[in-house]
């Protein structure tokens, strides 16, 4: 009896293990055809974080139960990873740059890979964590905290190639998930707080050879450098994952703050192309257009939030659009073909802009810059959103964002001079004096994706660092900073299910199907929790 | 009973406040400290008038939220005289590197020079700045015992656990703060330790809740998350409430379960009680 049980167990386990399939580019383009998988960081190239699965739905979500939990081996910093799931195998990352492959039904580990990191890793203004992987062909791609891009064999975790993206000693460090497109792996870097020069890179998926690099801020003397005064242009890092339109062959990436951050005295001008959305030709790496959300930024309002691509009529005409909930408190809609501004409406309290001109340039309220004594401005330094992803449901046409209602006293300090190629180890320039916790809150908000009008909201005790997930079961999953994980009705915002996980959630939930059952997975504290119906 | 009740508070508090203990950072996207600061040269106090002026601004921007504008403590400990007790170099290391596992975070956004200016300014913060202790601590202890304080507070294991433990209150709160609390409890409540929006919630906040079936509960907030709130009433009972089952939930700042001692104590008794509380710096 014992032996036969054992054989059964092995056979059962052998099903997913033997099913490592090739993930072709075509599969990534049409990921909607296989909702059982979660093939890319953002759920699809449009970063919609929408799943067609509906086994778990408004009628039965109340019965959701824990299926398994996975505790990371390092009692670490923030767990910010959102997993990728391919044909029953899940690839998740653990701080600082570890990749683990596991059976998606049980959480049983298949392999794990960790880079050999230098003894001293420079991580300026960021946690030493990782947000996820990309998969293409039979290869898993991960970027490391010391700014390498590594290709791993999907079956074994063995290294196929290791590309040195940039010098960590200069302040470059990567936490973002790469994005895999047709034969190319796209990756940026963090480090704006350290005064690095931002870029977006493409690497050959097979060989690791760099195909192109687009600098996001000009070198001194180059076009655009006139928007920096005499300063060495610095910052504008692409520290989060971006989106891709396969038809237009355009990549859409947000860029981070200029450096130094809170004191802009030495960098008069708009500081192109920081705090902007850039559209990049995926073959050449050339910038097709840009849209700057916060010219001459001094509040650390990076625009690195993942943009969501969607198609919808505007004024009766079908349009290819891009929606982005910005850290500065506004929800923007742009034409993703031309980059033209369509609208911007506040989705949280904001006290820095009166409105916008026809081109989407903000009309700034005087006196909202950081000051010696501190200037109270909404949103706070950590923003109306941060790196976590919103979602969009093509069924409800709503944009679901975990909004953060909070202000900061922005303090200006000594200006720092950026020196090319040298990290600013002490960033200076200022900071914040945050408000009390009882003067802040959060909310899941459902915005009409075209008009930005708030259709419903579900209040949270405090501003959260959790993304949202929308499903065809007409559900929105998200979490709180206190440790609640919950499901809301996607049409009404009514809470339908909740569990307290006992520690802060700091990632994006995802969903997949394995062994005929739909799962929802999220991390809290140092543990991943996977839920399914009984 | 008290011990059980007390450990329950501890467990609940740890659950909700425990993850508010990450280092406080003065900064940005996942506001954080770098795990490695290369330049760990010792911080040298800078005390020229120009340095002190800068140090004062930096202190007010970065430190006063917890330690008070005069360093006499508020929600964070009294740090007046800290450099004298610890030495310049250890104090400088704490400013730059924080104290792991506590609310004292690493201020990585300060340059070495700025940290030196903060240190210089911290050294000027004297115990005489506010909240002078004038009373007699021994007499204050008698006042404490006679006034019924021990019914709600624990000192070195003795007393009731409805209110905050006072064993180390003198190390945690300045004398001015202690006096104000005795006169108007609830007027200025301390905040919990914590980083960014994860923490810094008001402690001992008085709240009013009404369930959908009409039951009213008044009490002090013990913990709260997006779906649940725990209140403790005047009898020390805990009420764990699901927010979805409440008709009303409101904060009542200014109110407290503790009575005012304004009209119960003479001026001298008050001075003595403050002196006694300020002297409580014992280990837990």
């Amino acid at each position: 009896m014992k032996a036969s049980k054992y054989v059964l167990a092995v056979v059962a386990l052998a099903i997913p293990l033997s099913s490592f399939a090739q993930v072709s580019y075509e599969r990534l383009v049409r990921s909607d055809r296989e909702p059982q998988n979660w093939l890319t960081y953002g759920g699809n190239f449009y970063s919609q974080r929408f799943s067609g699965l509906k086994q778990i739905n408004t009628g039965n979500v109340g019965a959701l139960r824990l299926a398994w939990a996975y505790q990371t081996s390092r009692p670490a910093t923030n767990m910010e990873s959102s997993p990728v799931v391919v044909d029953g195998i899940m690839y998740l990352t653990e701080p600082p740059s570890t990749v683990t492959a596991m059976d998606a039904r049980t959480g049983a580990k298949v392999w794990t890979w960790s880079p050999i990191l230098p003894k001293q890793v420079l991580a300026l203004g960021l946690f030493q964590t990782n947000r996820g992987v990309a998969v293409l062909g039979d290869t898993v791609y991960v970027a490391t905290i010391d700014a390498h891009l590594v290709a791993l064999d999907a079956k074994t975790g063995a290294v196929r190639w290791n590309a040195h993206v940039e010098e960590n000693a200069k302040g470059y460090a990567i936490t973002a998930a790469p994005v895999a497109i047709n034969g190319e792996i796209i990756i940026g870097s963090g480090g704006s707080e350290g005064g690095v020069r931002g870029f977006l890179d493409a690497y050959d998926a097979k060989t690791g050879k760099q195909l192109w690099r687009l600098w996001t801020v000009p070198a001194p003397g180059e076009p655009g450098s006139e928007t920096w005064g005499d300063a060495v242009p610095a910052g504008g890092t692409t520290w989060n994952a971006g989106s891709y339109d396969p038809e237009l062959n355009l990549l859409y990436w947000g860029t981070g703050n200029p450096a130094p951050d809170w004191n802009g005295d030495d960098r008069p001008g708009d500081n192109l192309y920081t705090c902007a959305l850039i559209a990049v030709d995926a073959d050449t790496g050339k910038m097709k257009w840009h849209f700057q959300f916060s010219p001459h930024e001094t509040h650390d309002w990076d625009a690195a939030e993942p943009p969501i691509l969607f198609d919808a009529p505007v004024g009766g005409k079908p349009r290819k659009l891009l929606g982005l909930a910005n850290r500065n408190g506004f929800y923007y809609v742009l034409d993703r073909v031309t980059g033209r501004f369509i609208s911007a409406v506040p989705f949280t309290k904001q006290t820095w802009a009166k409105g916008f001109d026809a081109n989407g340039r903000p009309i700034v309220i005087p006196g909202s810059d950081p000051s010696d004594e501190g200037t109270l401005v909404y949103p706070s330094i950590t923003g109306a959103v941060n790196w976590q992803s919103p979602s969009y449901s093509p069924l409800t046409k709503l944009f679901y964002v975990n909004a953060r209602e909070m202000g900061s006293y922005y303090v200006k300090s000594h200006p720092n001079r950026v020196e090319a190629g040298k990290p600013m180890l002490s960033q200076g320039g200022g900071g914040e004096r945050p408000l009390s916790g009882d003067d802040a809150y959060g909310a899941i908000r459902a915005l009409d994706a075209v008009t930005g009008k708030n259709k419903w909201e579900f209040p949270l005790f405090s501003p959260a660092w959790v993304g949202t997930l929308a499903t065809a079961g007409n559900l929105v999953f998200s979490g709180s900073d206190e440790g609640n994980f919950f499901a809301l009705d996607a049409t009404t915002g009514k809470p339908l299910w909740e569990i307290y996980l006992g520690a802060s959630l700091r990632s994006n939930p995802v969903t997949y199907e394995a062994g005929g059952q739909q799962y929802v997975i999220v991390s809290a504290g140092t543990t991943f929790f996977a839920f399914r119906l009984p | 009973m008290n011990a059980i009740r007390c450990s329950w508070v501890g467990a609940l508090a740890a659950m909700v406040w425990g993850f508010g203990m990450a280092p406080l950072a003065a900064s940005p996207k996942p506001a954080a400290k770098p795990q490695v600061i290369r330049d760990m040269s010792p911080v040298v106090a800078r005390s020229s008038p120009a340095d002190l002026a800068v140090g004062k601004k930096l202190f007010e921007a970065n430190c006063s939220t917890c330690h008070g504008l005069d360093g006499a403590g508020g929600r964070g400990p009294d740090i007046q005289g800290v450099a004298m007790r610890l030495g310049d170099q250890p104090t400088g290391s704490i400013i730059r590197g924080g104290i792991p596992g506590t609310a004292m975070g690493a201020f990585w956004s300060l340059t070495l020079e700025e940290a030196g200016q903060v240190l210089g300014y911290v050294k000027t913060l004297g115990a005489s700045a506010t909240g002078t202790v004038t009373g007699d601590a021994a007499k204050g202890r008698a006042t404490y015992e006679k006034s019924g304080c021990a019914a709600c507070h624990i000192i070195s294991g003795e007393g009731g656990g409805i209110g905050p433990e006072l064993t180390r209150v003198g190390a945690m709160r300045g004398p001015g703060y202690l006096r104000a609390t005795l006169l108007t409890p609830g007027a200025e409540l301390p905040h919990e330790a914590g980083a960014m929006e994860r923490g810094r919630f008001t402690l001992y906040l008085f709240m009013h809740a009404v369930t959908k079936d009409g039951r009213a509960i008044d009490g002090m907030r013990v913990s709260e998350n997006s779906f649940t709130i725990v209140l403790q009433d005047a009898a020390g009972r805990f009420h764990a409430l699901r927010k979805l089952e409440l008709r009303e939930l409101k904060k009542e700042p200014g109110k407290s379960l503790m009575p005012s001692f304004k009209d119960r104590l003479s001026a001298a008794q008050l001075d003595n009680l403050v002196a006694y509380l300020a002297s409580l710096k014992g280990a837990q």
Side-chain angles (χ1 to χ4, degrees):
Chain A
M1 272 307 282
K2 266 187 181 173
S4 66
K5 263 187 195 165
Y6 179 72
V7 169
L8 271 178
V10 169
V11 169
L13 200 64
I15 294 165
L17 290 185
S18 62
S19 68
F20 285 90
Q22 291 280 333
V23 180
S24 64
Y25 169 66
E26 288 68 31
R27 280 182 73 185
L28 295 178
V29 173
R30 293 307 309 267
S31 59
D32 58 322
R33 287 180 180 159
E34 39 184 304
Q36 72 276 17
N37 290 322
W38 190 274
L39 294 177
T40 63
Y41 177 78
N44 59 18
F45 279 144
Y46 283 13
S47 300
Q48 290 176 341
R49 288 192 173 266
F50 171 81
S51 166
L53 295 179
K54 49 189 172 190
Q55 186 182 80
I56 300 168
N57 54 54
T58 50
N60 61 17
V61 67
L64 219 50
R65 294 286 184 273
L66 184 68
W68 53 264
Y70 174 76
Q71 303 196 30
T72 58
S73 47
R74 295 162 197 243
T77 172
N78 287 357
M79 293 287 300
E80 298 184 357
S81 173
S82 77
V84 162
V85 181
V86 184
D87 303 329
I89 298 290
M90 173 179 299
Y91 303 93
L92 57 78
T93 60
E94 308 175 30
S97 307
T98 291
V99 184
T100 298
M102 57 180 65
D103 174 18
R105 293 171 311 161
T106 61
K109 196 183 278 192
V110 177
W111 56 257
T112 191
W113 174 85
S114 295
I116 297 163
L117 294 172
K119 278 203 181 105
Q120 290 202 322
V121 171
L122 212 50
L124 301 170
L126 50 95
F127 283 116
Q128 295 199 18
T129 191
N130 189 282
R131 305 209 170 102
V133 302
V135 174
L136 184 66
D138 56 359
T139 308
V140 176
Y141 300 88
V142 65
T144 64
I145 195 68
D146 63 337
H148 284 245
L149 178 66
V150 183
L152 304 171
D153 177 77
K155 283 194 190 69
T156 61
V159 174
R160 288 250 168 81
W161 52 257
N162 181 336
H164 187 183
V165 175
E166 254 302 346
E167 293 295 333
N168 175 248
K170 288 181 182 171
Y172 290 100
I174 310 181
T175 55
V179 172
I181 58 170
N182 196 8
E184 291 179 40
I185 310 300
I186 313 297
I187 191 70
S189 174
S192 281
E193 269 61 44
V196 304
R197 186 180 178 200
F199 62 82
L200 190 66
D201 276 3
Y203 292 84
D204 184 301
K206 285 263 182 282
T207 64
K209 182 174 167 266
Q210 191 189 85
L211 299 174
W212 51 256
R213 167 166 291 186
L214 171 70
W215 292 105
T216 56
V217 295
E222 281 182 8
S225 62
E226 70 282 359
T227 66
W228 287 84
D230 297 331
V232 174
T237 50
T238 48
W239 56 271
N240 214 340
S243 306
Y244 177 59
D245 184 328
E247 273 183 35
L248 299 172
N249 197 31
L250 286 180
L251 298 160
Y252 300 92
W253 242 266
T255 65
N257 60 273
D261 201 337
W262 301 279
N263 187 330
D265 291 351
D266 285 347
R267 45 175 177 84
D270 282 357
N271 308 143
L272 292 175
Y273 297 90
T274 62
C275 294
L277 197 288
I278 54 174
V280 182
D281 183 301
D283 289 337
T284 63
K286 296 276 182 274
M287 201 186 298
K288 178 107 184 275
W289 54 258
H290 80 277
F291 179 88
Q292 193 177 36
F293 301 98
S294 306
H296 190 73
E297 206 283 323
T298 53
H299 299 88
D300 199 24
W301 292 330
D302 305 88
E305 301 76 40
I308 288 183
L309 314 185
F310 65 102
D311 299 337
V314 177
K317 285 185 186 163
R319 298 280 287 271
K320 290 177 187 292
L321 302 173
L322 178 153
L324 184 136
N326 194 291
R327 199 154 148 171
N328 70 17
F330 285 93
Y331 173 70
Y332 292 81
V333 178
L334 307 178
D335 181 312
R336 76 170 183 270
V337 181
T338 62
R340 280 195 57 183
F341 173 74
I342 292 175
S343 63
V345 292
F347 67 97
T348 62
K349 177 174 178 178
Q350 67 80 26
T351 60
W352 67 277
K354 267 186 277 204
F356 295 84
D357 72 12
N359 296 319
R361 188 183 178 87
I363 302 158
V364 173
I365 296 170
S368 55
D369 261 344
S371 59
D372 288 351
E373 61 282 4
T375 313
L376 178 61
V377 178
Y378 288 77
S380 75
I381 270 187
T382 42
V385 289
N386 202 283
W387 60 268
Q388 60 273 15
S389 295
S391 60
Y392 167 82
S393 166
L395 304 178
T396 61
K397 318 279 188 207
L398 295 175
F399 183 104
Y400 302 101
V401 59
N402 198 332
R404 302 155 43 81
E405 291 282 2
M406 191 179 191
S408 292
Y409 284 92
Y410 287 85
V411 181
K412 182 176 177 178
S413 172
H414 292 238
N416 266 340
R417 294 294 294 198
V418 173
E419 292 177 62
K422 275 194 189 170
M424 291 196 296
L425 292 168
S426 302
Q427 292 76 23
E432 71 168 334
R433 197 159 70 236
L435 295 179
S436 139
D438 282 296
D439 294 324
Y441 69 100
I444 307 297
R445 296 210 164 111
L447 313 180
D448 179 300
V450 175
T451 66
K453 193 171 171 233
N454 192 12
K455 294 287 185 181
W456 56 256
E457 75 167 38
F458 178 76
L460 300 178
F461 178 55
S462 54
W465 297 79
V466 192
T468 67
L469 162 70
T471 76
N474 206 38
L475 295 169
V476 174
F477 288 89
S478 192
S480 78
D481 205 49
E482 308 90 61
N484 310 94
F485 182 48
F486 52 83
L488 308 176
D489 184 304
T491 309
T492 65
K494 190 181 167 210
L496 300 174
W497 173 78
E498 182 261 342
I499 187 169
Y500 186 64
L501 298 178
S504 217
L505 281 75
R506 290 287 169 106
S507 69
N508 300 308
V510 312
T511 189
Y512 60 93
E513 190 181 286
Q517 279 206 285
Q518 184 183 354
Y519 293 75
V520 181
I521 185 166
V522 76
S523 71
T526 56
T527 303
F528 280 90
F529 298 90
F531 298 91
R532 71 176 173 219
L533 293 171
Chain B
M1 259 324 271
N2 282 334
I4 291 166
R5 196 182 283 156
C6 201
S7 65
W8 188 17
V9 178
L12 285 166
M15 228 162 61
V16 176
W17 298 325
F19 49 83
M21 297 301 281
L24 177 70
S27 160
K29 67 208 69 147
K33 58 170 184 171
Q35 267 92 343
V36 175
I37 295 175
R38 286 193 161 181
D39 185 359
M40 283 309 284
S41 323
V43 177
V44 178
R46 293 168 171 264
S47 302
S48 76
D51 284 327
L52 290 180
V54 176
K56 180 169 187 283
K57 271 184 190 167
L58 290 168
F59 182 89
E60 288 171 0
N62 295 292
C63 320
S64 67
T65 316
C66 295
H67 296 296
L69 280 170
D70 54 5
R75 64 184 78 148
D78 178 352
I79 52 162
Q80 292 180 347
V82 67
M84 201 170 61
R85 292 196 297 275
L86 301 180
D88 277 17
Q89 208 171 309
T91 307
S93 300
I94 290 173
I95 292 170
R96 292 203 89 202
I99 305 176
T102 74
M104 178 63 202
F107 285 82
W108 57 268
S109 66
L110 297 176
T111 63
L112 198 59
E113 184 189 2
E114 287 170 335
Q117 289 163 328
V118 172
L119 178 58
Y121 181 69
V122 166
K123 291 178 74 176
T124 69
L125 298 170
S128 61
T130 72
T132 327
V133 174
T134 54
D136 179 322
K139 287 182 182 165
R141 178 171 186 164
T143 304
Y144 181 90
E145 284 163 3
K146 274 190 298 200
S147 305
C149 307
C152 296
H153 296 282
I154 291 175
I155 295 174
S156 301
E158 297 292 325
I162 294 174
E165 184 187 355
L166 302 177
T167 308
R168 282 174 42 78
V169 73
M172 292 165 67
R173 318 262 184 244
Y177 185 88
L178 293 169
R179 177 183 298 273
T181 300
L182 285 164
L183 295 174
T184 47
E188 196 200 337
L189 293 168
H191 291 72
E192 62 168 315
M196 301 161 49
E197 64 275 22
R198 278 191 292 170
R200 300 179 305 92
F201 289 98
T202 308
L203 292 169
Y204 318 113
L205 183 67
F206 197 91
M207 294 190 74
H208 175 71
V210 183
T211 61
K212 281 186 175 162
D213 55 10
R215 195 164 56 98
I217 299 128
D218 288 291
M220 189 171 77
R221 181 173 68 188
V222 174
S223 73
E224 183 172 357
N225 65 48
S226 293
F227 283 79
T228 306
I229 184 162
V230 180
L231 300 179
Q232 186 182 20
D233 67 20
R237 284 185 302 250
F238 290 99
H239 302 266
L241 305 166
R242 295 285 288 171
K243 288 183 175 177
L244 296 174
E245 290 158 13
L246 296 178
R247 190 165 71 200
E248 189 185 352
L249 179 66
K250 69 175 180 197
K251 297 172 184 174
E252 299 197 300
K255 283 197 183 177
S256 174
L257 291 179
M258 176 172 145
S260 167
F261 285 81
K262 194 174 179 180
D263 301 320
R264 300 185 185 207
L265 300 176
S266 68
Q269 283 174 318
L270 187 66
D271 287 345
N272 293 341
L273 185 52
V274 169
Y276 172 57
L277 295 172
S279 75
L280 298 172
K281 297 179 178 176
Q284 277 173 311

